[in-house]
Amino acid sequence: MKKAVARAYANLMRKFRPRKLAKWKSAGILLTYRCNAACAHCYENSGPSKRAVMPVEHLREVLREFKKLGFTGRDLHFAGGEPFFDYKYLIDCFNVAKEEGMLPLGKLETNGFWCKTDKIARERMTEIKDFGIDTLLISCDPFHQEFVPIEAVRTAERIGNEVFGEGVVVVAPRNFLENPVDMMSLTEDQKTEIFRGILDERPLRMIGRAANVLAHLVENFPKEKFADDHCGKKLLWKKTVHIDPHGNVFPSVCAGISIGNTMKTPLSKIHDDFDINDHPMVRKLVDNGPLPLMEEAIQAGFADRKEGYSSKCHLCHEARAFFWQTGMYGDEVAPEEAYVD
Ligand code: SF4
């Protein structure tokens, strides 16, 4: 009931809001899709088989564009994939950020796999500290710990507190570090039960790998359940944006929906000249959510899942994955990594 009222209110408000991009206030730069892990919940579908890395000179252009849009380094975070997958490359990125006056960086995200010894952790953190960051975020949950020993996270936190002082290293979510389960020793069935338990507690964004690997663990519904669940907030009015290694600009956290490419058009122009009529798929999502897209996909040959869809984002992902295969909606559906493992 509460949800229905909230949706009705959101639909009403939508009529009065301009269909323009909000002024972005924070941004993630996905330096790479490469990762030592292939977490089941990864909405970007990153993993060891992925190769894409943002060229350092392109990072420079992106940082200059963020500056034009009023950003400082503190409004940015470096993420992936795993930014520490190629440490030398990460340092090159920090050097560019330094040359462009975009340090300290707001946040650097990692799964901490590289904290294999105190010595490595200390050396790398000391170097990063010299560049300047506000937060070193270490992911810690059953999904990551399928691939990263919990001991590495403990080392990251302990050495991080020593090198940076308290408060810079943030392990999130923290409760799993306090009560860990040795995910690496479990059977597939045991892991599935743990994942199911997490999903019962909080919904996850079912796009990317999560759509393919986790969506069947929760209740699924016929596509009609998501009628009129529009996406204006996420696609236009949220003040967050992500840039992927290929230069694709993802509104908010909707990986796989590109509203422009910074390798073709400067970021500030993508933002300032945004006209929803140039983005037919985004326009449909803003007006009516993913159901009309799915209906189009079905008309074009997609087999509607008889088991249904776990959420509107899952519905959206399935429609877009079909569009990716068939070329429908062209550049709005990108990159390949979001759709293909
Ligand atoms: S349904 Fe699609 S566009 Fe809407 S929030 Fe989910 S992923 Fe983003």
Side-chain angles (χ1 to χ4, degrees), residues 286-303:
V286 168
D287 286 345
N288 297 105
L291 181 59
L293 293 183
M294 177 52 80
E295 280 164 350
E296 255 181 86
I298 290 168
Q299 282 223 330
F302 178 78

Side-chain angles (χ1 to χ4, degrees), residues 60-98:
R60 187 188 300 282
E61 283 170 37
V62 168
L63 291 173
R64 286 180 181 173
E65 286 295 308
F66 272 121
K67 224 189 302 183
K68 268 195 206 165
L69 288 166
F71 277 62
T72 70
R74 286 206 148 101
D75 304 316
L76 297 173
H77 61 274
F78 283 171
E82 173 49 57
F84 283 81
F85 191 93
D86 178 346
Y87 182 62
K88 188 184 163 308
Y89 166 75
L90 178 61
I91 293 304
D92 290 345
C93 292
F94 268 100
N95 273 316
V96 164
K98 186 177 179 182

Side-chain angles (χ1 to χ4, degrees), residues 41-62:
H41 70 325
C42 184
Y43 70 90
E44 294 151 10
N45 220 0
S46 294
S49 65
K50 305 292 163 76
R51 291 286 167 266
V53 173
M54 182 181 284
V56 172
E57 283 312 307
H58 189 65
L59 173 64
R60 187 188 300 282
E61 283 170 37
V62 168

Side-chain angles (χ1 to χ4, degrees), residues 26-32 34-36 41-44 46 75-85 90 94 105-114 128 133-140 144 156 168-172 205 240-242 253:
S26 72
I29 302 180
L30 310 178
L31 296 175
T32 177
R34 299 185 84 177
C35 189
N36 59 301
H41 70 325
C42 184
Y43 70 90
E44 294 151 10
S46 294
D75 304 316
L76 297 173
H77 61 274
F78 283 171
E82 173 49 57
F84 283 81
F85 191 93
L90 178 61
F94 268 100
L105 191 72
K107 192 167 56 178
L108 173 60
E109 297 182 354
T110 178
N111 62 37
F113 83 99
W114 45 278
I128 300 286
I133 56 167
D134 289 341
T135 300
L136 178 64
L137 184 77
I138 319 270
S139 304
C140 179
H144 286 90
V168 173
V169 174
V170 174
V171 177
R205 205 175 309 127
T240 313
V241 66
H242 284 82
V253 286

Side-chain angles (χ1 to χ4, degrees), residues 165-221:
E166 297 282 327
V168 173
V169 174
V170 174
V171 177
R174 223 203 125 67
N175 55 355
F176 189 68
L177 184 64
E178 281 155 9
N179 295 297
V181 175
D182 181 4
M183 295 297 292
M184 289 171 154
S185 69
L186 299 186
T187 64
E188 289 306 311
D189 285 351
Q190 288 169 325
K191 286 192 235 177
T192 299
E193 271 323 292
I194 290 183
F195 294 161
R196 207 189 295 275
I198 295 172
L199 296 169
D200 283 348
E201 277 175 26
R202 64 185 167 105
L204 291 181
R205 205 175 309 127
M206 291 294 184
I207 61 175
R209 190 172 297 113
N212 300 330
V213 175
L214 297 176
H216 69 285
L217 299 180
V218 295
E219 190 177 2
N220 279 232
F221 306 91

Side-chain angles (χ1 to χ4, degrees), residues 98-153:
K98 186 177 179 182
E99 286 159 17
E100 296 304 320
M102 293 298 264
L103 294 178
L105 191 72
K107 192 167 56 178
L108 173 60
E109 297 182 354
T110 178
N111 62 37
F113 83 99
W114 45 278
C115 293
K116 291 175 179 156
T117 66
D118 287 13
K119 184 169 178 292
I120 294 175
R122 192 174 290 111
E123 278 172 9
R124 293 185 176 186
M125 287 184 186
T126 303
E127 196 167 12
I128 300 286
K129 184 188 174 195
D130 288 345
F131 282 110
I133 56 167
D134 289 341
T135 300
L136 178 64
L137 184 77
I138 319 270
S139 304
C140 179
D141 53 45
F143 301 113
H144 286 90
Q145 266 52 72
E146 256 201 284
F147 302 93
V148 179
I150 197 79
E151 214 33 62
V153 179

